[in-house]
Amino acid sequence: MATTTASGKAPKKTGRSAPPGLDAPVFADLSPRLAIVRIACDTGNANTKVAVEITLVFPQNGSITEQSLASQEFFVPSYLFESPSPSISVHQTPGNTAFEIVSSGAADSEAVAGVWATGDAAFASGGESDSIFIGKNGEFKAKYALQMVGGIVLSVLPQSVNRVAVFAGTSAHKRNLADAIGTQLKGEHLFRRLATHSSREVFSPECRMTIAPMFIPESFGGALGGYLDHPDEIGTKAYIALDLGGGTSQAMKGKEGLVLGDAFSGRLIIPSVNGNKLIQTFANSEAVGNALGAGRAMGAQSFSGIRDALYEAQQSEQVVYAGEDLTALWKEHVESAVKRLALELQEFENEFGLANAPIVGFGGTWLHLHFTEAAQMQFSYGVDEGGKPRTRVFIADDPLFSNCRSNLATVEEEFAEEIEQQLEDFKSELQELGKAE
């Protein structure tokens, strides 16, 4: 399939020159080296959460070596940057890298061809004005799916790997969005690395990647993960799976780790209580304005500053912004938001008979200072023998990664036969090539 770069010119053949901006890596005539990558991505409105496991297969000393790398969980800012030239200097870390898509089996192969950077590397290259924020909407999540997933995979692979079989689980909130993402991911794609982990390691400039995607309804993984973290408290009751993310919040009904009803349409979208809305309304509130003084709590700067203060508050348990302690005001703000949340849930609870049902909570908003405490108090019924509220709210052990962690387990299960077949086929190929006995 003929492809072009973003400039409209045919891509140049790659040689053995070092990636731009880096010390020359060690090149070698590499035997085929395969990586089996199981990955789940939860693309949020601010960051893409990732859970990944990698198995390497390669010839060594006349035999076939199979090596499992340590599993990784990390988040990467949901940014891309399309570079006008291959001369792009990047410090590679998980989720942050640079590469060229030389050819692709994607439905829109011309749109994906070109030089790209992901995550922090993208924002450092393009800034706010020239980088692409893929968390902007569903259309962007589909259009740039290959660049984001491919870049994330390359960023965590050993740089000597020249073949990759990727089994990817991606969350989608609409069926048509899942289909659109699939047409961009599925198939075989040829990447050229433009960043390395270390110049002292053997380096393969090109990497052939085959992706088999599957789609999991958004919030399904968290509904399962949160339940498994609290099976004794929830038991066999139907429960509300409450996903409070940075930009999207929604409720679904679940039972024993499964979503009841249609996972795409049988949900309640909650517009007023999500992480970004919580911060924005606080930053622009009259109470904060009075505490800081005229002009000190307005605009984007206050949003980012208070967001950073809330991140620090996870450790210090104090919200300090512009030298002022806003902790008490923040608690009042959160308690008010949780009361609104309770009101928005009432109709959903009544419709499905869930008025006193347990609530399984996950999503980044639960990490904000005082939010879980306020929710557990709001959704409570009396107190126990120790005087603590008997709450309906049970939070996933890791609310930020609950979705993608559970989705990765689903990928493992659903693709088990395909993964085993990939391993066996590659081992047979090595033996035919005389690379291993």
Side-chain angles (χ1 to χ4, degrees):
M1 179 181 296
T3 61
T4 59
T5 63
S7 64
K9 298 178 181 179
K12 296 179 180 179
K13 293 184 179 295
T14 57
R16 290 190 176 274
S17 58
L22 297 170
D23 294 336
V26 178
F27 291 98
D29 291 327
L30 294 173
S31 299
R33 295 173 63 90
L34 172 71
I36 300 287
V37 176
R38 308 156 182 87
I39 187 169
C41 297
D42 179 11
T43 306
N45 292 66
N47 300 298
T48 296
K49 278 76 70 179
V50 180
V52 61
E53 294 180 350
I54 300 173
T55 300
L56 303 180
V57 188
F58 53 93
Q60 187 177 47
N61 300 326
S63 62
I64 299 172
T65 295
E66 190 173 320
Q67 178 184 1
S68 294
L69 304 185
S71 60
Q72 296 188 60
E73 293 179 357
F74 56 89
F75 66 83
V76 52
S78 299
Y79 285 98
L80 287 170
F81 173 70
E82 185 175 10
S83 174
S85 78
S87 298
I88 182 170
S89 181
V90 167
H91 173 62
Q92 181 163 281
T93 57
N96 310 299
T97 190
F99 53 89
E100 179 183 6
I101 300 179
V102 180
S103 63
S104 172
D108 193 354
S109 59
E110 292 191 3
V112 301
V115 174
W116 300 89
T118 58
D120 285 329
F123 195 81
S125 299
E128 189 72 44
S129 59
D130 292 332
S131 54
I132 302 166
F133 179 49
I134 67 168
K136 180 179 179 180
N137 54 43
E139 178 186 347
F140 275 30
K141 292 178 183 180
K143 182 177 181 179
Y144 299 106
L146 178 61
Q147 294 93 320
M148 199 66 182
V149 173
I152 289 171
V153 170
L154 289 174
S155 76
V156 293
L157 281 180
Q159 62 197 32
S160 58
V161 170
N162 46 31
R163 290 168 59 175
V164 191
V166 179
F167 299 91
T170 305
S171 296
H173 66 281
K174 295 181 180 179
R175 288 186 179 87
N176 60 352
L177 176 60
D179 292 340
I181 292 173
T183 61
Q184 289 301 92
L185 288 180
K186 188 175 181 179
E188 184 175 297
H189 319 279
L190 181 61
F191 290 81
R192 177 175 179 257
R193 291 179 171 96
L194 298 176
T196 67
H197 297 292
S198 168
S199 62
R200 294 182 297 276
E201 297 177 8
V202 173
F203 177 80
S204 174
E206 293 188 347
C207 183
R208 178 158 52 91
M209 187 181 300
T210 303
I211 303 179
M214 69 173 294
F215 303 97
I216 303 166
E218 195 172 57
S219 302
F220 179 85
L224 170 62
Y227 166 79
L228 292 176
D229 290 337
H230 300 279
D232 295 336
E233 294 91 340
I234 299 170
T236 59
K237 302 173 186 175
Y239 57 85
I240 297 171
L242 190 53
D243 185 356
L244 300 182
T248 303
S249 295
Q250 54 197 342
M252 306 170 71
K253 50 191 182 298
K255 186 172 182 179
E256 296 182 297
L258 299 175
V259 172
L260 298 178
D262 187 281
F264 288 102
S265 61
R267 65 179 68 209
L268 171 71
I269 302 299
I270 304 167
S272 65
V273 182
N274 60 60
N276 290 343
K277 181 77 71 174
L278 203 65
I279 298 170
Q280 189 66 64
T281 53
F282 183 65
N284 293 326
S285 67
E286 183 179 355
V288 170
N290 292 337
L292 298 179
R296 296 178 66 193
M298 302 300 290
Q301 184 176 358
S302 64
F303 175 87
S304 59
I306 289 177
R307 181 183 58 191
D308 292 343
L310 288 170
Y311 178 79
E312 296 295 330
Q314 293 177 20
Q315 305 297 324
S316 66
E317 298 190 355
Q318 286 185 303
V319 182
V320 178
Y321 173 66
E324 299 292 335
D325 188 341
L326 305 178
T327 309
L329 292 177
W330 172 254
K331 287 186 176 182
E332 291 177 10
H333 181 73
V334 165
E335 288 169 0
S336 176
V338 171
K339 288 178 181 178
R340 291 198 306 275
L341 173 62
L343 289 174
E344 293 193 48
L345 279 178
Q346 276 185 359
E347 184 176 345
F348 182 81
E349 292 175 330
N350 293 336
E351 180 181 356
F352 297 106
L354 298 171
N356 295 306
I359 296 173
V360 173
F362 50 98
T365 300
W366 294 99
L367 297 175
H368 284 317
L369 178 67
H370 194 58
F371 193 91
T372 295
E373 179 184 345
Q376 288 177 330
M377 182 65 72
Q378 176 69 40
F379 297 97
S380 65
Y381 51 98
V383 295
D384 61 19
E385 294 178 356
K388 294 183 179 180
R390 298 183 185 276
T391 185
R392 297 165 52 200
V393 176
F394 303 95
I395 313 302
D397 289 348
D398 189 343
L400 189 62
F401 285 95
S402 184
N403 261 319
C404 64
R405 181 184 294 173
S406 296
N407 289 349
L408 181 62
T410 302
V411 169
E412 292 267 15
E413 181 178 351
E414 294 296 322
F415 281 120
E417 292 184 7
E418 290 88 341
I419 291 170
E420 185 62 32
Q421 190 62 55
Q422 281 277 353
L423 290 170
E424 293 305 315
D425 289 348
F426 186 69
K427 290 175 183 178
S428 296
E429 180 184 334
L430 290 178
Q431 290 172 339
E432 288 179 8
L433 291 173
K435 297 293 184 180
E437 297 179 357

